[in-house]
Amino acid sequence: MTPPIVEELIRRAARRPAIVAYPEPQDARILQAAARAAAIGIARPVLVGAPGALPLDAGPAIERRPIQEDANLDRLAVEYARRRGVAAPTARRLVRRPLIHAATMVSLGEADCMVAGATHTTASVLQAAGLAIGYR
């Protein structure tokens, strides 16, 4: 039985499902969380990673975004370079990293948030978020 407060939070979240970037798609817990969020209608999950790290059978409600094939890769790199004041080649190399890529998606409004920390340390997640989004 789900507590009433949780049911209310799910109802509210389902009114405007968030686009959630998941940069650790190789972890089964992440896939379960993404599938569950999609199933109850509170999120539109986007799995972010190298093509080989993305499961082929994630389900129809889960978007797969292979970084190397991302049509927005150049735009993400240009914006990252502009915001961070780094050279374009450096920015392009950095946004190919799943954590930075997902955080840059959030920074540019392509995702509402990202869920990470299953396979990366908290420090790595905070560093990626700080670099791409900033500490506001």
Side-chain angles (χ1 to χ4, degrees), residues 33-129:
R36 176 81 173 126
I40 63 175
I42 62 171
R44 294 177 16 218
V46 180
L47 302 180
V48 178
L54 298 175
L56 298 175
D57 58 349
I62 299 176
E63 180 184 338
R64 297 171 69 252
R65 188 177 285 201
I67 292 173
Q68 287 76 2
E69 300 167 16
D70 188 347
N72 293 324
L73 184 62
D74 287 333
R75 186 173 76 77
L76 292 174
V78 166
E79 285 299 316
Y80 184 89
R82 184 183 66 77
R83 290 177 181 209
R84 297 300 305 168
V86 299
T90 301
R92 188 167 175 78
R93 188 174 66 251
L94 287 171
V95 298
R96 286 177 179 267
R97 296 179 181 176
L99 283 177
I100 297 287
H101 193 93
T104 303
M105 288 172 58
V106 173
S107 177
L108 298 179
E110 291 184 15
D112 296 305
C113 62
M114 76 173 190
V115 172
T119 62
H120 291 88
T121 64
T122 301
S124 295
V125 174
L126 291 175
Q127 181 182 41

Side-chain angles (χ1 to χ4, degrees), residues 13-55:
R15 289 184 198 137
R16 186 185 168 273
I19 299 170
V20 182
Y22 293 88
E24 300 170 316
Q26 67 280 9
D27 189 285
R29 297 168 296 173
I30 293 294
L31 296 177
Q32 289 172 343
R36 176 81 173 126
I40 63 175
I42 62 171
R44 294 177 16 218
V46 180
L47 302 180
V48 178
L54 298 175

